[in-house]
Amino acid sequence: MTTSTAVLREMRWWDIEPVLELEHELFPDDAWSAGMFWSELARTRGPGATHRYVVAEDPADGRIVGYAGLASAGDLADVQTIAVGRHRWGGGLGSELLTDLLRHATALECAAVLLEVRVDNTRAQKLYERFGFEPIGFRRAYYQPGNIDALVMRLTVQGTETD
């Protein structure tokens, strides 16, 4: 998939280091470790794959400018992470990444998609609301070490609802 600013492709092990650079820039207090990304990527390939991770590359220089991940279990999916470099904010890349994850959730026949977002991250909350996510609760002190609460949001995937 191509946007006007980036090319989305499956995340691979060689992307971990550049993704970590962006991760530490955007989330200095609670950045994921290399081990966390390795663990997630181990579940993205093969017949029993339950995860989807993508990166967004700048077509001019191949630099990673965003990434996103989704985990699924049964008919439920969970957005694990979405990140876009600050210099790309407001350009639609977050929407492109989220669209990719939601397409994957639909292909896996997930009935709902959940996510957690920092209560102080109104930019991300507005993105999720545009896609139809609704707040369903809080997780107190979810983001450490800052003791920041998480807003839990849910999207019911069209065409998978049951009576």
CSV table of all heavy atoms in Angstrom, one decimal, residues 1 64 77 98 113:
chain,number,residue,atom,x,y,z
A,1,MET,N,0.9,-1.2,0.0
A,1,MET,CA,0.0,0.0,0.0
A,1,MET,C,0.9,1.2,0.0
A,1,MET,O,1.9,1.3,0.7
A,1,MET,CB,-0.9,0.0,1.3
A,1,MET,CG,-1.6,1.2,1.5
A,1,MET,SD,-2.6,1.2,3.0
A,1,MET,CE,-3.9,0.1,2.5
A,64,ILE,N,12.2,4.5,8.1
A,64,ILE,CA,11.0,4.2,8.7
A,64,ILE,C,10.4,5.4,9.4
A,64,ILE,O,11.1,6.0,10.3
A,64,ILE,CB,11.1,3.0,9.7
A,64,ILE,CG1,11.4,1.8,8.8
A,64,ILE,CG2,9.9,2.8,10.5
A,64,ILE,CD1,11.7,0.5,9.6
A,77,ALA,N,-9.5,-8.7,18.5
A,77,ALA,CA,-8.2,-8.2,18.1
A,77,ALA,C,-7.8,-7.0,19.0
A,77,ALA,O,-8.7,-6.4,19.6
A,77,ALA,CB,-8.1,-7.7,16.7
A,98,LEU,N,-3.7,2.5,10.8
A,98,LEU,CA,-4.8,1.9,11.5
A,98,LEU,C,-5.7,1.2,10.5
A,98,LEU,O,-6.2,0.1,10.8
A,98,LEU,CB,-5.6,3.0,12.2
A,98,LEU,CG,-6.8,2.6,13.0
A,98,LEU,CD1,-6.4,1.5,14.0
A,98,LEU,CD2,-7.5,3.8,13.7
A,113,VAL,N,-12.4,-4.9,18.0
A,113,VAL,CA,-11.0,-4.5,18.1
A,113,VAL,C,-10.9,-3.6,19.3
A,113,VAL,O,-11.7,-2.7,19.5
A,113,VAL,CB,-10.5,-3.8,16.9
A,113,VAL,CG1,-9.0,-3.3,17.0
A,113,VAL,CG2,-10.6,-4.6,15.6
